[in-house]
């Protein structure tokens, strides 16, 4: 739908349907442009164990309460007559997109949601599916299996402009709390809100301050922007060795899932602690090493390869407590480059420590804010539409989204319903694949989201199998 036609605000009766909140912020505008081109929609797959079979009306009522209690879920994005995109709410309606699906594979449902755009001018900018009759792969402790014998799946998708991972985890933890209350017949206060909308002012000031700092040295700024432009022309090593078989076949993202048992997860976490590296650093090192192995297997010569990484980061770490508590989007990606030898296994933990030192030096020096500033200068939102008109070429060898341990952020353990598995994913942007991972209920949970037009499914499966074989061998 054209942003200059149907989405524009109309006079009279149409105007009266909406509460106009404010002009859309930078993140909402960015993700709105992306999702219109079929890019960067987010999906979560939550395996749910319940004491009794979940009833459709209980779930529907819980979603209605959630909608009333979470302001970001009520958001729509509409252009007014001045051509400016605004954030608004529909008046007096529980704007819910909910379906019950019997016998479907929740993996397929998750893929479907992460590949479907949203009618942002009407909303809702999120979807919920209750999947019944699919066993899934969760292996909860015996006491959970005994007390909660029934398995269902909640698959939830959202426009990335309304929420990042931190906001989604808070929202979906609240959903389970509400669902337990609904089943128990407890009253629910819809006036009590989960949180306020994100205010980007503090973050944007940091970006503007960095921009002014860079502009004081025009020669260095010119070099950085030139390097940024050069990066956009890179072809990842993996695609050099396994070129796309169906380039231009459409923008569909596929997802593969892996989950470690509690014992292997514990070994991984303990080994990382012993070696003085974060799980992010160790897993990135494994991805890099597995990528180099794939290149060697494909016949690529060389003793070492400079691999370029992109890491999603929660910008709340740089903000005040009030700003960090807000709902919405406070993330960016920042770059890192690591020289990876073909003999990476021989001194893996030394290699991981070097990568860790590089990553954390950039984090401590506000590297993510620096990279966000350069991104906005090199590709402002008003230029994004033209860039996305053609399928963007991937630029990074490794892209990660790590949320760490989610149990503390997702603590709900109700008497009627409990989550036993949580998987995250999103369709890609400038990436041929994205590695999503975290730990939940003591298990390392991983989703490999890859572009079906760039990577064949058998190639993706071979890569992920090799990645986890390497992980198990090294911990």
């Amino acid at each position: 739908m054209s942003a200059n036609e149907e989405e524009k605000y109309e006079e009279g009766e149409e105007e009266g349907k909406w509460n106009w909140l404010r002009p859309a912020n930078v993140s909402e505008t960015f993700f709105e442009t992306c999702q219109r081109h079929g890019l960067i929609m987010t999906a979560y797959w939550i395996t749910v164990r319940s004491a009794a079979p979940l009833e459709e009306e209980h779930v529907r009522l819980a979603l209605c309460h959630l909608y009333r209690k979470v302001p970001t879920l009520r958001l729509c994005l509409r252009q007014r007559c001045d051509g400016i995109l605004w954030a608004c709410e529909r008046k007096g309606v529980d704007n819910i997109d909910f379906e019950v699906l019997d016998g479907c594979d929740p993996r397929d449902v998750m893929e479907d949601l992460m590949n479907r755009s949203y009618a942002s001018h009407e909303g809702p900018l999120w979807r919920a599916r209750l999947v019944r009759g699919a066993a899934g792969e969760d292996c909860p402790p015996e006491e959970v299996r005994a007390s909660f014998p029934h398995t269902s799946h909640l698959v939830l998708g959202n426009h990335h402009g309304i929420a990042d991972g931190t906001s989604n985890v808070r929202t979906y933890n609240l959903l389970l709390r509400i669902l337990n209350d609904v089943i128990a017949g407890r009253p629910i206060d819809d006036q009590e809100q989960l949180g306020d909308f994100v205010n980007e002012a503090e973050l944007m000031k940091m970006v503007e301050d960095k921009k002014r700092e860079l502009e004081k040295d025009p020669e260095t700024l010119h070099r950085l922007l030139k390097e940024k432009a050069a990066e956009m022309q890179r072809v990842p090593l993996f695609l050099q060795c396994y070129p796309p078989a169906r380039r231009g076949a459409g923008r569909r993202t596929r997802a593969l899932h892996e989950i470690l048992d509690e014992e292997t997860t514990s070994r991984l976490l303990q080994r990382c602690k012993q070696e003085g590296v974060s799980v992010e650093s160790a897993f990135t090192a494994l991805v890099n090493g597995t990528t180099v192995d794939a290149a060697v297997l494909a016949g690529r010569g060389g003793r070492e390869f400079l691999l370029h990484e992109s890491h999603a980061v929660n910008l709340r770490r740089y903000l005040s407590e009030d700003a960090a508590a807000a709902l919405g989007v406070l993330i960016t990606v920042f770059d890192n480059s690591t020289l990876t030898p073909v003999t990476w296994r021989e001194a893996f933990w030394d290699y991981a420590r070097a990568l860790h030192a590089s990553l954390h030096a950039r984090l401590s020096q506000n590297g993510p804010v620096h990279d966000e500033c350069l991104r906005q200068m090199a590709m402002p939102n008003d230029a994004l539409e033209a860039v996305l008109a053609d399928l963007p070429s991937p630029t990074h060898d490794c892209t990660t989204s790590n949320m760490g341990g989610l149990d503390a952020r997702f603590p709900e353990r109700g008497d009627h319903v409990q989550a036993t598995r949580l998987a995250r994913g999103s369709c890609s942007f400038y990436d041929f694949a994205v590695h999503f991972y975290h730990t939940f209920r003591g298990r390392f949970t991983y989703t490999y989201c890859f572009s079906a037009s760039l990577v064949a499914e058998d190639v993706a499966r071979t890569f992920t199998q090799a990645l986890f074989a390497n992980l198990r061998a090294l911990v």
Side-chain angles (χ1 to χ4, degrees), residues 260-263 265-266 269 407 439-444:
L260 295 180
D261 58 65
E262 291 182 51
E263 181 183 353
T265 299
S266 179
L269 300 180
D407 286 292
T439 56
F440 182 62
R441 298 203 81 151
R443 291 170 294 168
F444 183 85

Side-chain angles (χ1 to χ4, degrees), residues 316-387:
R316 290 168 177 83
R317 67 194 301 151
Y318 301 111
L319 302 178
S320 66
E321 185 176 346
D322 287 345
L327 294 174
V329 180
L330 282 169
I331 56 170
T332 191
V333 293
F334 75 106
D335 297 337
N336 189 62
S337 297
T338 310
L339 197 61
T340 307
V342 296
T343 57
W344 61 274
R345 279 184 186 79
E346 296 177 8
F348 172 75
W349 292 104
D350 288 337
Y351 169 62
R353 275 187 287 272
L355 192 154
H356 177 89
S358 176
L359 274 181
H360 284 260
R362 295 220 66 219
L363 284 170
S364 65
Q365 296 162 8
N366 279 20
V369 176
H370 175 273
D371 286 2
E372 176 65 17
C373 177
L374 288 179
R375 184 194 68 77
Q376 291 188 21
M377 294 175 75
M379 190 178 60
N381 278 344
D382 56 8
L384 188 61
E385 189 77 42
V387 173

Side-chain angles (χ1 to χ4, degrees), residues 22 24 63 134 151 188 208 226 259 358 391 397 404 465:
R22 52 174 169 74
L63 291 168
T151 303
I188 297 166
E208 285 300 316
K226 188 175 180 180
I259 187 165
S358 176
L391 188 64
D397 296 288
Q465 289 166 2

Side-chain angles (χ1 to χ4, degrees), residues 32 95 105-106 153 205-206 211 242 258 272 274 421 450 454 459:
E32 169 59 12
N95 207 7
D105 189 328
H153 305 271
K205 182 180 184 303
M206 294 175 67
K211 180 180 178 181
Y242 300 89
E258 294 280 350
C272 288
Q274 290 169 3
R421 173 176 175 157
F450 65 97
L454 298 178
V459 174

Side-chain angles (χ1 to χ4, degrees), residues 20-42:
W20 299 92
L21 303 174
R22 52 174 169 74
N25 63 33
V26 172
S27 294
E28 290 160 353
T29 303
F30 173 83
F31 286 114
E32 169 59 12
T33 304
C34 290
Q35 74 94 28
R36 285 205 308 269
H37 290 272
L39 299 169
I40 324 188
M41 283 83 69
T42 303

Side-chain angles (χ1 to χ4, degrees), residues 56-76:
E56 176 181 347
E57 286 311 307
H58 284 160
V59 177
R60 186 183 302 276
L61 181 55
L63 291 168
C64 289
H65 285 297
L66 188 74
Y67 175 84
R68 299 166 197 163
K69 292 174 70 66
V70 181
T72 50
L73 297 184
R74 302 193 293 270
L75 204 67
C76 296

Side-chain angles (χ1 to χ4, degrees), residues 150-421:
H150 301 278
T151 303
S152 305
H153 305 271
L154 287 171
V155 186
L156 303 119
N158 66 276
H159 184 306
H160 210 332
I162 68 170
D164 57 17
T166 299
S167 291
N168 277 328
V169 166
R170 289 179 62 194
T171 297
Y172 299 146
N173 183 67
L174 176 61
L175 172 59
L176 288 190
R177 187 183 311 163
I178 293 172
L179 184 55
N180 273 293
D181 287 342
V182 166
I183 294 171
R186 291 188 286 265
I188 297 166
D189 180 6
D190 289 336
Q191 299 303 310
E192 183 182 26
Q193 299 294 287
L194 180 63
D196 294 326
F197 283 112
V198 65
N199 184 340
E200 285 192 333
E202 187 176 331
L203 174 60
M204 289 301 103
K205 182 180 184 303
M206 294 175 67
V207 172
E208 285 300 316
D209 288 347
K210 174 59 68 173
K211 180 180 178 181
R212 283 192 291 270
E213 177 186 327
L214 291 170
E215 288 173 339
K216 292 177 181 177
D217 185 350
E219 184 176 338
T220 299
L221 177 58
H222 176 74
R223 175 180 59 79
L224 291 171
L225 290 174
K226 188 175 180 180
E227 290 173 356
K228 178 66 70 174
E231 288 174 8
M232 302 304 293
Q233 304 304 315
R234 287 192 67 254
V235 178
L237 176 64
F238 191 86
L239 293 187
Q240 293 177 34
C241 300
Y242 300 89
R246 296 180 295 154
R247 175 73 178 176
R251 301 182 179 188
R252 183 164 185 84
T253 295
R254 301 291 313 281
L256 299 175
H257 302 273
E258 294 280 350
I259 187 165
L260 295 180
D261 58 65
E262 291 182 51
E263 181 183 353
T264 308
T265 299
S266 179
R267 289 206 311 271
L268 170 64
L269 300 180
Q270 290 176 7
R271 188 64 188 272
C272 288
K273 185 176 182 179
Q274 290 169 3
E275 300 291 347
V277 301
S278 64
V279 174
E280 171 78 358
S281 301
F283 197 77
T284 301
L286 281 165
V287 172
N288 286 349
T290 306
T291 300
V292 167
D293 285 351
V296 172
L297 187 64
R300 184 67 177 264
R303 299 176 60 184
E304 57 188 14
F305 298 90
L306 183 64
L307 299 182
H308 297 262
E309 307 145 13
S310 176
H311 300 268
V313 63
N314 184 353
L315 290 169
R316 290 168 177 83
R317 67 194 301 151
Y318 301 111
L319 302 178
S320 66
E321 185 176 346
D322 287 345
L327 294 174
V329 180
L330 282 169
I331 56 170
T332 191
V333 293
F334 75 106
D335 297 337
N336 189 62
S337 297
T338 310
L339 197 61
T340 307
V342 296
T343 57
W344 61 274
R345 279 184 186 79
E346 296 177 8
F348 172 75
W349 292 104
D350 288 337
Y351 169 62
R353 275 187 287 272
L355 192 154
H356 177 89
S358 176
L359 274 181
H360 284 260
R362 295 220 66 219
L363 284 170
S364 65
Q365 296 162 8
N366 279 20
V369 176
H370 175 273
D371 286 2
E372 176 65 17
C373 177
L374 288 179
R375 184 194 68 77
Q376 291 188 21
M377 294 175 75
M379 190 178 60
N381 278 344
D382 56 8
L384 188 61
E385 189 77 42
V387 173
L388 297 182
D390 189 20
L391 188 64
S393 297
T395 58
H396 292 92
D397 296 288
C398 170
T399 301
T400 69
S401 174
N402 170 30
M403 287 197 68
L406 288 185
D407 286 292
R409 305 188 203 184
F410 206 97
E412 187 62 31
R413 299 285 187 266
D415 296 331
H416 300 276
V417 174
Q418 291 191 10
T420 54
R421 173 176 175 157

